[in-house]
Structures are given as structure tokens and as C-alpha cells.
Amino acid sequence: MSEAASGRNELFTRISEQLGRAVQADSESRYISALSGYNEALRHIQQLIVGMDDGDGSGSGSSEQLQQSGLEAKFGEYADRVSQLLHQLAPDPAFKDDLRRAQKALAKARQARQRQEIELALRLYIGGIGSYQKVLRQEKEASGNGSAARDSGDWVRELRRFASTSLKEAENLKRTGLEPPPLALPEAPSERAFASSESRRKSTGVVSPVERLTAEETAVVRHTSHINGLTFLPWLSNDIDENFALASPFTDKDGLLTLSPKQQRRLGRWRRANRLFDRPTIFAQAGCKHIVQETVTDCSFVAALCVCVEYEQRFRRQVVSRHLYPRRPSGEPVFNPAGKYMAKLFVNGLWRRVIIDDQLPVADDSRLLCTYSTGSDIGPSLMEKAFLKVMGGYDFPGSNSSTDLHVLTGWIPEHVFVQDEAFDAARMWSRMLSGSRHGDVLLTIATGEMGAAAAGALGLVPAHAYAVLDIREACGFRLLKVKNPWSSLRWTGRFSHADRASWTPALMRQLGYDPDAEREDCGMFWIDYESVCMRFDAIHLNWNPQVFAHATATHFEWPLDTGPRQALYDFSANPQYTLTVGRSAQAGNGENSEQSGRGSGSEGGNADGVQPLVWVLLSKHLVKTEENTDFIALHVYRGGRRVYEPRAALRIGEYVNAPHVLMQLTAAPGESYTLVVAQREKSKTLYFTIRAYCDVPLQLAAAPLPAFRDVVQGQWGSFSAGGNSASPRYLDNPQYRLTVDSGRTGSFSGMLTLEAAQKHPVNIRVFRSGFLVTRVLEANTVATSGKYRVQFCACALDDIDPGSYTVVLSTFEPFMFSRFKLTVGLDAPFTLAPIPREGAGMRLRELHGRWQPCGPRSDGSGQSHASTPRFLVRADRETTVLARLQTPQADPLPLVNVSIFAFGSSAALGPPLASSGSYTNSPQGVATQPTSVGCAGRSSDYLVVASTWDHDVGASFVLYFYSEHPVEITPLFLEA
């Protein structure tokens, strides 16, 4: 062996000893000693790395590369831990911001080295080291002026040593300019887990084809890989090759988990598993009797874990133990002397890797302060630690067992409220019994709030989760075997250990019940189903997704600024997906679904029973563990088209502040459905996964948006808020000309939506012509949004011929002022332009009058206009005029006409120049077409005649007279 190789071996031995002492000190909370050991080890690791970079010509190049890779991984791992400890032990809170900046900068510098971004890495190194130097200067100044008594010499020494080591790390990078092998640092998800290659799967735990993540999905998965300040990367197939054979005890670089206040008061120290038990095992004990919930408030998780362990014993199928590594080739997890473990958990729509060490919180009496086994089985403790690392620490507020089981197993969560009016006790029992017999369901139950006295009398705990270990029908009774995660405190009602009368010999034989064995209170008991329905609040079911032959999923973001905060009227901006259900040559779900217990019992189903059952699971992603104030729902519509208004739904979902919403429906083969995600009082950006399951093929895609789209902003004001079609002012409403090229082959379709800023009832109506609409004719109406709806409405255009159309936007009452947004989306190119209101750019005179019941006024039969109200109009120049006649106060509306005549002698009628046409009683009245009158150089007189068809009309009227230039108007034979 060469002298250089001998020196390296000596350094390796020294580093191993130093790290062993440092990790031990770290686990015993002797943090300054740990810092000293880590810093010394880092200095020697750096010596080795520099020596390998320089090379001495001895040894195998490939073996030295492997050695260097491991060294640099260790360097990054323990350097990160030193940064954390320096931040944690800072003698002055004022230092923490700079220390945090330094820690982040150095971590990013190592990531930049990994990407070969040498210049960026050097800048980050300089910034991080500069922050450390700033802290050292501040500490020196504070110590020098005597402003505070400090005992920080050891901490300052270790900070100075680490800053020096980091500087040498940067200098070595600058000298070599080489890309180091990957370091054991939090990795950027985009670099590792989000490559859209043929080899990666959306891991669903069900039969599914290889799928790619879209760019949008990748962004969502990347963002929600960061949970409670830590990064949990998606599981990849090569994660099973994780290195667990370490030379020294492993310490999680993410640090120790946060403890609950109760744990903190009782904490003695953190201990390694091999210091707690002589021969620790991992999930080696059968059943769940030995599992005990300690001071952590995670009864839902412990109940879930108990169910899984009991299931594995009963069915000989691993559902949770196979997700803990390292493990044997057969799948059973094994104890790791190095204390490094990896759990595979289903979080935020994907399986993810969670790295932990085996340091566990222990009280002064050497009793574990986390979930533990009464034997030496540390499997429950490790699985709980991995779960709670994701959830933010041991100070976990708890959830519900179906949510926790979904994380542990990926099985489909279903939450049923027992006290709900729609609860069907008989059908629920049938589903639970069938699912349990086939091993397709995991069951837990939960109590609600109840008085302490009542709970104590029943042997129950309020707001508490219980594991269901077995479900049986025996001797005519429906019974459940249940475990309290506390491993104590049992049900005292019917079929409990105290109820000797109900336990007949035949029943005990069928259930294997031994009264003598029940004397010991281990929290396990039998209870009848009727008592469950009476005393418990919820049943949680998790269904094996593998009972479905097909599944599909998508991940998406719902930004805060997309759509209204409370979408009571407007679904246009809600996330929507089209679910298309395929066909199968077999009978579909019918018999098999009911045998497995997963039949939905929803409406539908045809005579031959071939309609497939579809389950749709909406899951909200976890970013931070906090009180859940996000009420979400999932609605289902027929057709697969985009939904704009919350009406005519096939299934209306209930709004719940739960992370999962399950919708079950019986579908028609070959049909499409629209899934609409809804939220009440949206307060932040949310991220979701939708996963659909069925026995026939499924397709899930974003609900299609129109190919062509335009948005216009406008308002209803003093002169444009005309009210509904029964209002005389309807024609004053905003109107737009919608034109689709008439040369287009075939029809077009689309949707118009109208959103008001104020909560006014609004409406869209589409007419033929493309010109200003002056009165409403049903025969001329192409489409309408229907009844006036508060703040938002939608109008569908289906198979419309190309051409020009008029779009009228109205509020229900006149003078309802508001801004509005009109959105037009079509499958064909179009133009949208405002139509000027009647008389735009002209002068307006408003004239009032009244008809008195008298002789006939109509000229329709050649009768005289002598008693009809008339107005003399004198024009001094050529001008365009327009007259509109309305009777807003009349009830009923009379048939009316307005005409313009040349002026004859003695106020007689001359030749007619313009007329409103047939007599009509439209609320908007009648109007002439714009007409040119007058001539240059002399005055010309004209008569405007307002007439009714019936001679006995007595009503007031309003005449609106528009002219391009000033005219003189005089009423004739008019009684006001």
C-alpha cells in the first residue's frame, strides 16, 4: 500500500470516529460538542477530496471516483446539519436572519455546482460566507461594548471554523471548476422527479398505463412537493436502490421533529432504536394488539395503522409494511443498524419518498413519547415518524382515519356521516360486510363530541378514532370488533366485556370469544352495529383501488385570482374536466361491484345492468398543516361541455372542509360528463388531484374552452340601464353586433357569459339582424340566458347559421347601475362591436301629451287625423330626423303609430314621409326610420302625428324626437 493510500485510510478512520461522536452528541442534545465533531470531520473530508482532485497516481480511478462521490455526499449532508445547528444555537435572535440567508445560499451553491453552474455557485458561496462574516462582526461588536453578558465563545469558534471550511470549499470549486457528483441535499424536483419520460408512471396503486405529466401538472407536482417547509419528492423506481448501509449512524438532515407541548414537558432525550431495545424488529409482531398511542394527538393515524397491521395478518397481504425501507427481497422491512429509513407515502396525488432516522423521543423514565409497541417492534414508531414528518411534526392536530389511510396505502377514502338524514344503515352494513370479506376495504369509526359523563358511562372517548379489526354476522347479530388506539378504555354497552347476558355459547363459538381473555383491558372490544349507528358520528372506509380495472388522474392548480372568490352564480372560471366513459363487452360493474361492497347505490342503471360504476376522487393538496377552512365540492353535469352556471347538475356535491371528496355515479357507456370543482369563499391558491376509477376505460381531460374568444367591458349607467324586455327603455341597454363570416361552411356554436360587478339580476338576449333592437319580438329571438340571474348569466348558441346578430345585455329593473363583463366564446372566428344607441349624435326633444277618448284616429281605414295629437316641425336646413312614440303609463298598452307628413295648408296633412308601420303595443313603443327633411335656403314645415288604432283610448304618451340639426317644434291640437 502506498504512503498516500495509507494516509487516506487513516483519515477515513478518523472521519468515521468524529462523525460517530458528533451524531451521538447530536442525538443527546449536546449540540456544541456535535458542532465541534461535525466541523472537524468536514475539515478532514475536505482534505480527502482535495487530495483526490490532485491525484497521486495510485489506486483505481473508478474506485476513487466512487469514494469521492460518497465523501462529497457526506460533506453536503453534514454541512447542512452544521448550518441548522448554528442557526438553532445563535446567542442573539438578531443573528437568525443572516444565518438563515447564509444557510440557504450555501445550499443553493451546492445545487448550482451539481448543475455545473460554476459562476452562480461561486456568487452564492461568497454571499453565504459574507453573511457569516457579518454575524461574526456583529458578535464581536456586541461583546466589545459590554452591552450584554454572553456565553457564546464556543458557538463563535464553531461558526468561524465552519465559515473557513465553506471558504475552502468555494476555493476548491474555483480551482477545479469541476462538477461534483450529486450531494445529499434537498434536490430541485424539476431535476429529479418531474422528467416526463416513458419510464415514469403516475403511481396510483391501480392498473394504469404509462402516462406523462403535462407541463402544467409538472408545475403543480413540483410546487406541492414542498410541504411544511420540507421537500418530499415523487417516488421513482430507482428509489429502492437508496443506500442504507452506512458506516456511522444516520442523522436526518431535516433535523428533529417538532414535539407537542405535552411531549416537550416530559421529554428526557432523543434515543436511537438500538439504545432502546436489545434486538429491535420492524413490523415483526402479528396483529395490532401491541400497538399503543402515546402522547401524540394522532388517534386517527394510530387507528389507521392498527387497521393495516390487522389486515396484513388476516389476509397475508402487505398494505403498509411494504412501504418501509430497507426491506428484504420478499418485501418485509428490516432493522437498519445505521438508523436510516425511507417510507413511501401517498401524498398530494403521488407516491413520495420520506427519509427519516430512528431517533425517537423518550421521557425521563425511558418510556417512548410516540406511538410504540409493547414489544421491541419499532415499525409503528418509524411509520408514525415518517407520516408526522410530512404533517409538520409530532404537534399534529389530527385528521380522520380515511385521510391517514389514504396516505399510508393509497386506498380510496370515503367518509360517511352516520347521523346524516341520507344515511342508509342497511346498505352501509351490506357494503362494509362484503368489502371486509373480500379484503377490499379498511374500516375505522369515529365518535363525535359528547359530554364527559355520557362518554365515561359508555367507555368511549369523545371525538376519537377507533380501528375496526373485524366485521361479522353471527347468530342474527351484526357485530364489529374494534380497538381504541390508546390500548385501554373499552366500550361498556351491549356485547362489551361487561355484557355477559348477550354472549351466548353459540355466539362465543362463532366469534372465538373468550370471556377470561377479556379481563385484561387492551382497548379491544365487540360492539353491535346498532350501537355504532347510535353512539358514533362517522364511518371511514378506504377501498382497494385495484378492484377497479381502470383509473386515470390529473393534477391542477386553481389560482386565487381566477374566478370569483365565492362562485355562487358563476362557474365559468372553475376547474372543469371532461370524463368520458368507455364501453365494455362484459356486464360492467353490476355483480362484482356489489360483491366487493363498493356499489354506489346512486341513481341510474338500466334494465340489463350494464351501466358502469364510476368513482371520482377530488383531493386537495397539503402545503401547510393548519386549520382547514377551504370548503370544497365536486359537481357532475352531463354532456362533457364546459359548465357556466351552477344549475341542471346531474349530481350536486356537498361543500366540506375535508381534503378528499368522493363522488360515485352510475354512468352511461360511451357518454361524457363534466366534473366541476367548486369552492366556497376562496381565500388562497389551491392545488388538486382528480382521480377517476371504473371497470371500463376512462378518459379525463380539461373541459374544452372555445377556440375563439373576446371579452368586452362596459357599464349600465343613467342612459343605458334600460331594464328587462317589458320596460320602455329596453332599447337603451348596451347592444353589440356579433358577426360570424357568412361565407363559413356549416353552423357555429358557443357561449356568451355576462358578469355584473353588482349583485343585480342580469340577462343576455340574442336577436337576428345585427342592427339596433328597438322592440322585442319572440320570433326574432335566437337565444336567451333565460330567467334573470343574480350577477351572472350564460347564453348558449347551438348550431347557429353564420351571419350578424344583435346581443342585448340588460338588468331586470331600469337604473340598476353596474359595470359588466361580456365574454363571447365561439368555435368560429367572429367580430364583436358595440351598436350605437338610437339617435346617437343627434339632438333630442322629449315631448309629452295625452289622447282623449273621442272619434276615430286611425288612418288605417282612411279616417281623419283631425283629433289626433300632432306636432309642427320647422326645419331651416336639410336634416335627418327620427321620432319614437311610447306609452309608459298606459295599462293595457294601446296599439299606436307615429308618422311624419309634409305640412299642408291650414295644418292639413301633406304627403307621408315616414311611418312606424303597423300599429303595435310594444313596451318600447314605435319609431320611424331616420328620414331626411328640409332643404337649404328656406324653412320647411312637417307634421308628426301620434295616433292610436282604437278611438276610445285615453292615455298619456311620450314622443322622443331626434334631429341632426336644430329644429323648431310646436304642439298642435294637443291637450296636455
Side-chain angles (χ1 to χ4, degrees), residues 65-109:
Q65 288 175 359
L66 290 173
Q67 281 187 339
Q68 184 168 353
S69 174
L71 286 171
E72 288 173 335
K74 283 294 182 186
F75 187 94
E77 180 179 327
Y78 290 111
D80 199 55
R81 180 57 182 157
V82 169
S83 296
Q84 293 174 1
L85 288 174
L86 289 170
H87 179 271
Q88 178 181 334
L89 301 176
D92 190 332
F95 296 162
K96 287 188 177 291
D97 285 344
D98 286 314
L99 292 170
R100 187 180 293 108
R101 276 192 289 270
Q103 180 180 354
K104 289 183 177 179
L106 292 178
K108 289 181 179 179

Side-chain angles (χ1 to χ4, degrees), residues 47-65:
Q47 286 179 342
L48 276 175
I49 293 174
V50 171
M52 289 179 177
D53 282 337
D54 293 339
D56 63 358
S58 65
S60 162
S62 60
S63 63
E64 289 209 352
Q65 288 175 359

Side-chain angles (χ1 to χ4, degrees), residues 561-578:
D561 58 358
T562 301
R565 298 293 174 91
Q566 189 170 7
L568 296 179
Y569 321 107
D570 174 10
F571 276 0
S572 62
N574 287 43
Q576 300 186 27
Y577 289 85
T578 298

Side-chain angles (χ1 to χ4, degrees), residues 548-697:
F548 295 94
H550 300 273
T552 184
T554 186
H555 315 279
F556 60 93
E557 173 188 9
W558 190 358
L560 175 61
D561 58 358
T562 301
R565 298 293 174 91
Q566 189 170 7
L568 296 179
Y569 321 107
D570 174 10
F571 276 0
S572 62
N574 287 43
Q576 300 186 27
Y577 289 85
T578 298
L579 177 68
T580 303
V581 182
R583 298 180 181 273
S584 174
Q586 300 178 351
N589 69 302
E591 182 180 356
N592 293 335
S593 295
E594 289 302 327
Q595 284 183 353
S596 70
R598 59 183 169 88
S600 72
S602 58
E603 78 296 324
N606 55 19
D608 58 8
V610 297
Q611 288 188 306
L613 178 67
V614 180
W615 283 21
V616 182
L617 179 66
L618 171 68
S619 300
K620 188 188 74 170
H621 289 195
L622 171 70
V623 177
K624 181 180 180 182
T625 300
E626 58 187 352
E627 181 184 359
N628 188 358
T629 59
D630 305 309
F631 284 78
I632 60 175
L634 184 66
H635 309 309
V636 182
Y637 292 78
R638 296 185 190 275
R641 297 177 58 179
R642 193 160 194 85
V643 174
Y644 293 85
E645 293 179 286
R647 51 175 169 161
L650 174 64
R651 298 288 300 277
I652 291 290
E654 182 180 358
Y655 287 84
V656 294
N657 62 333
H660 302 288
V661 172
L662 181 65
M663 179 70 75
Q664 305 167 349
L665 70 148
T666 304
E671 293 296 321
S672 293
Y673 300 85
T674 305
L675 310 177
V676 179
V677 180
Q679 184 184 356
R680 183 170 294 163
E681 296 292 349
K682 185 168 50 156
S683 60
K684 59 179 176 290
T685 296
L686 295 183
Y687 303 85
F688 295 93
T689 292
I690 286 182
R691 200 172 296 276
Y693 307 85
C694 192
D695 288 332
V696 299

Side-chain angles (χ1 to χ4, degrees), residues 690-859:
I690 286 182
R691 200 172 296 276
Y693 307 85
C694 192
D695 288 332
V696 299
L698 294 167
Q699 289 185 342
L700 188 64
L705 289 166
F708 302 91
R709 186 172 178 268
D710 194 8
V711 179
V712 295
Q713 307 277 352
Q715 67 177 7
W716 291 287
S718 301
F719 299 101
S720 58
N724 62 66
S725 59
S727 166
R729 299 195 59 225
Y730 182 77
L731 65 132
D732 294 333
N733 284 307
Q735 301 190 27
Y736 294 87
R737 179 180 295 107
L738 174 65
T739 302
V740 175
D741 186 3
S742 57
R744 169 185 169 84
T745 301
S747 60
F748 70 90
S749 299
M751 183 70 68
L752 288 72
T753 62
L754 176 62
E755 179 185 356
Q758 304 297 322
K759 292 185 178 180
H760 298 325
V762 296
N763 175 272
I764 302 172
R765 202 174 185 108
V766 181
F767 300 87
R768 293 182 179 86
S769 79
F771 298 107
L772 182 75
V773 170
T774 58
R775 61 174 176 167
V776 178
L777 296 175
E778 291 299 329
N780 203 35
T781 300
V782 174
T784 176
S785 60
K787 295 179 179 179
Y788 280 77
R789 300 188 178 276
V790 177
Q791 203 165 3
F792 181 86
C793 66
C795 177
L797 300 177
D798 294 316
D799 295 326
I800 307 298
D801 292 331
S804 293
Y805 297 86
T806 302
V807 179
V808 182
L809 315 178
S810 62
T811 57
F812 185 71
E813 296 286 350
F815 304 110
M816 285 184 164
F817 303 148
S818 176
R819 298 186 310 279
F820 66 76
K821 179 174 74 173
L822 171 66
T823 303
V824 180
L826 304 181
D827 59 7
F830 66 91
T831 59
L832 188 67
I835 300 175
R837 63 194 304 262
E838 187 174 68
M842 302 175 73
R843 300 169 183 269
L844 170 63
R845 287 281 300 274
E846 185 176 320
L847 306 165
H848 294 262
R850 182 178 180 82
W851 294 289
Q852 296 295 339
C854 56
R857 302 188 178 90
S858 169
D859 66 345

Side-chain angles (χ1 to χ4, degrees), residues 341-416:
Y341 295 91
M342 177 172 64
K344 179 182 177 183
L345 300 179
F346 199 79
V347 181
N348 290 349
L350 293 172
W351 288 105
R352 297 176 185 273
R353 50 179 268 146
V354 182
I355 299 292
I356 58 169
D357 59 32
D358 66 349
Q359 296 185 86
L360 301 172
V362 179
D364 287 329
D365 59 1
S366 298
R367 184 172 179 173
L368 279 168
L369 296 177
C370 57
T371 293
Y372 64 91
S373 167
T374 53
S376 59
D377 193 330
I378 62 171
S381 302
L382 295 178
M383 212 68 198
E384 179 189 54
K385 183 174 183 179
F387 174 83
L388 292 178
K389 180 178 179 179
V390 177
M391 298 302 158
Y394 285 104
D395 192 13
F396 178 55
S399 57
N400 68 63
S401 294
S402 62
T403 296
D404 299 346
L405 276 166
H406 185 62
V407 173
L408 285 172
T409 66
W411 286 27
I412 307 167
E414 181 181 4
H415 181 90
V416 177

